[in-house]
Amino acid sequence: MSSGGSSLFSGFRVLGLYSNHVPHALRYHKKHREFYVVTAVGQCFHTYNVNRLGIVAVSNSLSDDISCVAADRMLVFAAAGRLISAFARNKEVVMRYHGHKQEVRLLLPLGDQLISADGGGDVIVWDVQEGDVYLRLQFDSATFDVSAMMHPSTYLNKVLLGSSQGALQLWNIKTSKLLFTFSGWSAGVTVLQQSPAVDVVGVGTATGRIIIHNIRLDETLMSFTQDWGPISSLAFRTDGPPIVASGSPQGHIAFWDLERRQLVTQHRHAHRTAVAAATFLHGEPLLITNGADNAIKVWIFDQEGGGPRLLRSRQGHSAPPTTIHHHGNDGKNILSAGQDGTLQSFSTVHERFNKNLGHGSINKKKEQKKKKGLSYEELRLPAITAFSSAAARQSDWDGIIACHRGRLATTTWNYQRCTMGAHHLQPPAARRTDIATAVDITSCGNFAVIGSSSGRVDVYNLQSGQHRGCYGNDEMAHSGAVRGVATDTLNQLTLTAGSDWLLKFWRFKSRKQEEQLKLHAAPASMMLHRDSGMLALALDDFTLLVVDIETRRIVRKFAGHHGNINDMTFSPDGRWLITVAMDCTIRTWDLPSGFLVDCFLVAMAPVGVSLSPTGDFLSTAHVDSLGVYLWTNKSLCGPVGLRPLPADYQPAEVTLPGVTVDESEQEVTSEEVDDAYKSAEQLGAELVTLSLLPESRWKSLLYLDNIKRRNKPVAPPSAPPAAPFFLPTLPGLTPRFTSPMATEQETQSKLLRWGSMSQRSEFSSDLESALESGSFDRPLRLLKDCGPAALSVELTCLTSEGGGASGLLLAFIHMIDSMLSSGRDFDLAQAYLALFLKLHLRSLSQDSVAMAALLRLSSRLEVGWAELRVSFDQSLCLLSYAKSALL
């Protein structure tokens, strides 16, 4: 019997995937005035904005892993195998380019062309829009194996090719001619980069040399040498200082001064793996790097000495995670320990809440000895094999304890400070060959219980790090390795399981054994659900046991896995037990009924599983995958019918979830704006639709006279008369000055008569033509653009005294009638009609034709208002009943 997938869980998203070994591509969006970085992740690529490193787009998946990416102003190009795809809007494939016979290694957009090179020596120039081959160049891989491409600035239709044999060739792709061949420097070319100076390029070689070369004069200006192997990337600063940055396979970055021709500074361990690409933002002191360690980093140069400082980053595990657990009671944070030795926290809410607790070190005091000859690798602790966390006292002291591969001492970690703690917990008088195998923290957060491969189980105080005792006679709790430890909610019981096939029950305080349970096989791991008191044991024979710690009996036994059970977790209510195994299945067991109720298959074997304390997300970690995958619980969204699955049930494979885009960071392109949904002007002909104009445009039409009267100035502004140089006086004994006489121009009135305004307005002309055609859309559009005062002037000018015509009043009545019959702009029709009647009712009463049209309009108004009043009354009645009735 088979099924179509999981009936309980649905793929949601993946956390912690950011970059791989493919060099990134940088884009600048002119409209947004923002830089975007494109990184490849498996079969798709992600687009991040540089300002916040928020993901704005995830492309559709290709058929194969992406080998290289490039971008121009409009499109993103990605090569997967022998196929090249062009993506629009960072997501959709709009063009595919077929023609390569081997895997494509290099891409270079150049205007309307795209240049690609494969491993077989073929270099093809494509027409981007049509997808046709414009030019094909074939090279012999034995003599000229293309390893780098670059377009020299200001060199029209030219491309510079570098080879792994060391020679360089300058080609004209329009005429298909070889213009010049550079002999090289007896080393394979790995990187070609244009410098800010015209004719000058930077060349990186496989021997670690950096050559600054003038290609016009074929002259080497300067060269540098780094001791970290081949040059993996080159980048020139364009914001002022003449600095070139070079990346290395060890993850180090060196910065060279081109004026002083010397090394300025170096930044070691910028990445855990090789620096795939490094790019300076144009005109800004920012450097973007990415690498195969699953990290994107933005560095800023604001320190004395010219050194970089990490400004922002997005990084996950550089090696697959092995153990995951939810931290806290809100279910929003997932702690993950990876094979790279780091402990990280991934947020299910937003990436900005992610935390990197770092890599454990043997001793913090020894970190000061790095400069005295102790290497970086010697101080790092091996990978974490198991850990436990508690949020109860994490603000007071360390709340995470972890055991490492091949080490007896366990380490403590502080979640709030995002650092390793101060304690290394190691039992006294222990053998050097012992290894810590199991850890647990009590629910109060005060004690840690640690089991080792020798059979010891020790108790430590987390605040002081002091050893508080051990379990068993002769300090041995089991005769074999301890496979699991757990404590109950009230710190009354301690449970231990060992490879001696025994499950033992101990008193936590006295550390004396109370009872033991003989198992039919050796346990591999153990998980306790403290609220329900159910203990799950995974055995080496691929079976599961559930023990009730109150009755201390086996209450359930499950069989069905065909591989080692890697991890398990309980649902928050203790009803389900979810297990993952090397047979690539994720199974859900129902404890009350004792049946398997859900099972599905994944492509990669899961190694870790954790269900959030709220029950909304199931998180899994898988072999050979750097991400943490989230699955939504369908039972929280609606009823889910769970039935017992038969013994011969064949699970169907479910695709692992991918990365989702944060809507707050999503890039909106011009095409998406054009394709956005636009609401209809009217949803239905029987409905009344209001206009989108503000209320001030139609509410104040009836009160224009009051507004004008209120805003009328007390006196008109008058300029003071200019005093003459010689003041005129009246004849007489006493000197008296004469008053200035008003001129004829000043005494003349400035008010224009209506007759002088006989020129008809645009609205009047359109209204008259609309009466003949029957469509009043254009005059109505003109009225909508007018303010209240301008609209009053337009309606006043409809009469013959105002310069209009006798038929304009009737045309306006027909326009209002068409607005009411269509049901659109209902508020404007009422306001316009009220002002129209206020201005012209006296003249309309003397026109029989106009009065007949007004009577028809009045009946239409009464019918429309009656329908609205019925709807209003029904709504008010229902609202009144809902407020007053006893429901």
Side-chain angles (χ1 to χ4, degrees):
M1 180 180 178
S2 61
S3 177
S6 174
S7 58
L8 193 57
F9 297 104
S10 176
F12 176 53
R13 61 179 299 194
V14 61
L15 305 175
L17 287 182
Y18 302 105
S19 175
N20 60 8
H21 65 282
V22 178
H24 66 256
L26 196 65
R27 298 181 62 197
Y28 180 73
H29 200 290
K30 290 185 177 181
K31 184 177 180 181
H32 298 169
R33 296 182 180 178
E34 190 172 11
F35 285 96
Y36 293 94
V37 59
V38 180
T39 60
V41 179
Q43 298 179 356
C44 62
F45 62 83
H46 301 171
T47 304
Y48 300 87
N49 52 20
V50 178
N51 286 341
R52 296 174 297 275
L53 279 186
I55 185 167
V56 298
V58 177
S59 71
N60 297 332
S61 297
L62 297 176
S63 59
D64 201 355
D65 288 344
I66 295 176
S67 57
C68 57
V69 294
D72 61 5
R73 189 175 59 89
M74 297 297 296
L75 300 175
V76 177
F77 304 96
R82 295 175 295 179
L83 178 65
I84 304 173
S85 303
F87 292 80
R89 291 179 280 189
N90 299 319
K91 185 177 182 180
E92 303 169 357
V93 178
V94 295
M95 183 64 69
R96 287 184 172 91
Y97 307 93
H98 302 269
H100 282 284
K101 299 178 181 179
Q102 294 193 21
E103 183 181 5
V104 179
R105 299 189 303 184
L106 299 172
L107 290 176
L108 177 63
L110 182 59
D112 295 333
Q113 282 83 30
L114 173 67
I115 307 173
S116 59
D118 60 18
D122 288 347
V123 176
I124 301 178
V125 181
W126 307 86
D127 189 323
V128 173
Q129 298 297 329
E130 301 297 333
D132 300 330
V133 177
Y134 181 80
L135 175 65
R136 182 188 293 268
L137 302 176
Q138 293 183 348
F139 296 91
D140 186 5
S141 300
T143 58
F144 194 88
D145 184 18
V146 179
S147 59
M149 289 193 304
M150 188 204 72
H151 166 60
S153 180
T154 70
Y155 283 56
L156 187 62
N157 300 322
K158 309 297 189 303
V159 61
L160 183 65
L161 304 178
S163 66
S164 57
Q165 289 79 15
L168 282 77
Q169 294 183 3
L170 183 64
W171 284 81
N172 188 321
I173 61 174
K174 188 173 183 180
T175 61
S176 182
K177 290 184 178 180
L178 175 62
L179 302 181
F180 193 79
T181 300
F182 302 89
S183 59
W185 298 269
S186 302
V189 177
T190 58
V191 182
L192 290 174
Q193 184 65 37
Q194 174 69 50
S195 72
V198 181
D199 304 327
V200 179
V201 300
V203 182
T205 64
T207 58
R209 287 190 64 190
I210 305 168
I211 297 100
I212 309 300
H213 194 73
N214 189 313
I215 60 176
R216 179 177 290 274
L217 304 177
D218 191 15
E219 177 183 354
T220 299
L221 303 181
M222 65 191 76
S223 66
F224 309 100
T225 303
Q226 70 176 17
D227 300 331
W228 304 321
I231 306 298
S232 61
S233 60
L234 280 178
F236 289 88
R237 285 189 67 173
T238 57
D239 62 318
I243 301 295
V244 60
S246 61
S248 67
Q250 284 76 23
H252 312 321
I253 303 177
F255 300 93
W256 311 85
D257 192 321
L258 299 179
E259 285 187 354
R260 294 183 291 175
R261 303 189 179 187
Q262 64 182 12
L263 179 68
V264 177
T265 182
Q266 57 183 347
H267 197 286
R268 292 178 175 266
H269 306 290
H271 287 270
R272 297 182 184 273
T273 59
V275 180
T279 309
F280 277 102
L281 265 62
H282 182 73
E284 298 184 27
L286 296 178
L287 176 68
I288 302 176
T289 61
N290 79 300
D293 58 346
N294 193 20
I296 309 171
K297 298 184 179 181
V298 179
W299 310 85
I300 186 171
F301 294 81
D302 58 355
Q303 297 180 337
E304 295 183 1
R309 174 178 62 88
L310 184 62
L311 181 62
R312 61 182 70 94
S313 66
R314 289 285 183 267
Q315 54 185 338
H317 286 291
S318 58
T322 56
T323 308
I324 56 174
H325 292 299
H326 278 85
H327 180 73
N329 298 323
D330 55 1
K332 296 180 180 179
N333 299 296
I334 302 173
L335 282 173
S336 172
Q339 296 179 10
D340 55 356
T342 61
L343 183 64
Q344 301 194 27
S345 173
F346 296 103
S347 173
T348 60
V349 179
H350 197 276
E351 293 175 342
R352 64 173 175 267
F353 301 121
N354 291 356
K355 294 182 178 181
N356 188 352
L357 279 69
H359 202 295
S361 60
I362 295 177
N363 193 341
K364 282 192 171 183
K365 295 181 180 179
K366 290 184 180 180
E367 291 184 2
Q368 304 297 330
K369 299 181 181 180
K370 290 181 182 180
K371 300 179 181 179
K372 300 180 181 180
L374 201 60
S375 67
Y376 180 78
E377 295 293 336
E378 292 176 358
L379 294 174
R380 296 173 61 177
L381 285 172
I384 296 174
T385 56
F387 69 90
S388 178
S389 67
R393 303 300 296 270
Q394 66 177 1
S395 59
D396 300 324
W397 50 76
D398 301 337
I400 303 173
I401 183 169
C403 54
H404 298 261
R405 182 188 300 123
R407 290 185 59 86
L408 176 61
T410 57
T411 56
T412 59
W413 301 74
N414 193 291
Y415 184 80
Q416 291 190 341
R417 295 200 305 266
C418 298
T419 58
M420 192 183 75
H423 303 307
H424 285 252
L425 308 180
Q426 183 171 348
R431 294 177 299 181
R432 299 186 62 180
T433 57
D434 292 348
I435 298 172
T437 56
V439 291
D440 190 32
I441 296 181
T442 58
S443 59
C444 61
N446 294 318
F447 299 97
V449 183
I450 303 173
S452 64
S453 60
S454 63
R456 289 180 59 106
V457 178
D458 299 273
V459 183
Y460 297 86
N461 184 281
L462 281 177
Q463 182 180 8
S464 61
Q466 297 294 321
H467 184 262
R468 296 305 186 195
C470 58
Y471 292 87
N473 298 326
D474 299 330
E475 298 183 350
M476 290 295 174
H478 289 271
S479 58
V482 178
R483 299 290 179 83
V485 294
T487 58
D488 65 347
T489 307
L490 301 177
N491 290 356
Q492 299 295 318
L493 281 178
T494 300
L495 302 102
T496 61
S499 59
D500 54 359
W501 296 27
L502 293 177
L503 172 64
K504 295 187 178 182
F505 300 83
W506 311 80
R507 299 304 298 179
F508 179 80
K509 188 173 182 180
S510 62
R511 294 184 291 279
K512 292 183 179 180
Q513 181 179 344
E514 288 191 344
E515 194 173 344
Q516 68 180 20
L517 191 64
K518 182 67 176 179
L519 307 176
H520 68 273
S525 59
M526 187 173 71
M527 172 70 66
L528 174 65
H529 187 260
R530 286 172 173 165
D531 294 339
S532 64
M534 293 296 167
L535 178 72
L537 293 133
L539 306 184
D540 286 342
D541 61 351
F542 312 151
T543 60
L544 292 160
L545 297 180
V546 180
V547 179
D548 188 350
I549 65 174
E550 295 295 332
T551 61
R552 299 174 186 179
R553 294 178 181 271
I554 298 176
V555 295
R556 290 290 184 270
K557 181 178 180 180
F558 301 114
H561 280 292
H562 303 289
N564 291 328
I565 300 174
N566 294 324
D567 201 2
M568 50 191 169
T569 184
F570 282 95
S571 61
D573 56 0
R575 182 180 180 88
W576 297 333
L577 175 64
I578 305 170
T579 58
V580 296
M582 291 302 294
D583 57 3
C584 298
T585 59
I586 300 176
R587 299 173 183 258
T588 303
W589 312 87
D590 186 69
L591 297 185
S593 64
F595 287 102
L596 176 69
V597 294
D598 187 67
C599 179
F600 62 97
L601 196 67
V602 290
M604 295 178 289
V607 296
V609 65
S610 179
L611 188 63
S612 64
T614 56
D616 49 357
F617 290 117
L618 176 74
S619 57
T620 58
H622 298 261
V623 173
D624 297 333
S625 178
L626 303 180
V628 176
Y629 296 85
L630 294 184
W631 310 78
T632 56
N633 187 355
K634 296 180 184 178
S635 64
L636 296 183
C637 305
V640 176
L642 298 179
R643 298 179 180 179
L645 300 180
D648 59 345
Y649 180 78
Q650 297 295 329
E653 184 174 339
V654 177
T655 305
L656 291 175
V659 178
T660 58
V661 180
D662 185 10
E663 294 182 359
S664 61
E665 305 284 354
Q666 189 171 4
E667 177 187 4
V668 180
T669 60
S670 58
E671 293 87 349
E672 291 175 344
V673 173
D674 296 338
D675 297 340
Y677 173 76
K678 296 180 180 179
S679 178
E681 294 184 359
Q682 191 174 17
L683 299 180
E686 70 280 0
L687 301 178
V688 170
T689 306
L690 302 181
S691 67
L692 299 179
L693 294 181
E695 294 183 355
S696 59
R697 300 286 293 272
W698 54 270
K699 257 190 174 182
S700 58
L701 290 178
L702 295 178
Y703 309 102
L704 286 177
D705 295 338
N706 298 334
I707 295 174
K708 291 179 180 179
R709 191 180 306 111
R710 184 182 58 196
N711 297 336
K712 184 178 180 181
V714 178
S718 58
F725 186 79
F726 295 104
L727 296 179
T729 57
L730 295 175
L733 296 178
T734 58
R736 288 182 301 172
F737 298 99
T738 59
S739 59
M741 302 297 292
T743 61
E744 182 180 357
Q745 183 179 1
E746 294 175 350
T747 56
Q748 186 177 0
S749 176
K750 294 183 180 180
L751 295 178
L752 299 177
R753 299 183 179 273
W754 285 111
S756 61
M757 298 177 61
S758 59
Q759 186 177 2
R760 203 178 277 187
S761 65
E762 184 180 2
F763 169 72
S764 301
S765 303
D766 292 340
L767 185 61
E768 188 174 5
S769 60
L771 182 61
E772 301 176 358
S773 61
S775 175
F776 295 93
D777 293 338
R778 180 170 174 79
L780 180 59
R781 196 181 308 115
L782 292 176
L783 285 185
K784 287 182 179 181
D785 295 337
C786 297
L791 195 143
S792 176
V793 172
E794 291 287 355
L795 296 188
T796 305
C797 296
L798 293 179
T799 59
S800 57
E801 292 84 358
S806 58
L808 291 180
L809 297 178
L810 184 61
F812 188 84
I813 296 174
H814 287 303
M815 185 186 75
I816 299 297
D817 185 69
S818 66
M819 293 173 65
L820 294 176
S821 61
S822 64
R824 293 183 297 177
D825 302 321
F826 184 79
D827 49 353
L828 294 183
Q830 302 289 335
Y832 292 169
L833 181 60
L835 180 60
F836 177 75
L837 294 178
K838 180 181 178 182
L839 295 175
H840 307 294
L841 183 59
R842 185 180 298 276
S843 58
L844 289 173
S845 60
Q846 301 175 3
D847 190 348
S848 59
V849 179
M851 287 302 298
L854 285 176
L855 290 176
R856 291 193 300 269
L857 185 61
S858 176
S859 61
R860 186 182 295 276
L861 278 171
E862 291 177 359
V863 173
W865 176 245
E867 295 176 357
L868 278 179
R869 186 169 55 191
V870 170
S871 301
F872 288 155
D873 292 343
Q874 290 178 353
S875 301
L876 291 174
C877 180
L878 181 61
L879 182 60
S880 178
Y881 172 75
K883 291 171 62 177
S884 60
L886 297 177
L887 299 178

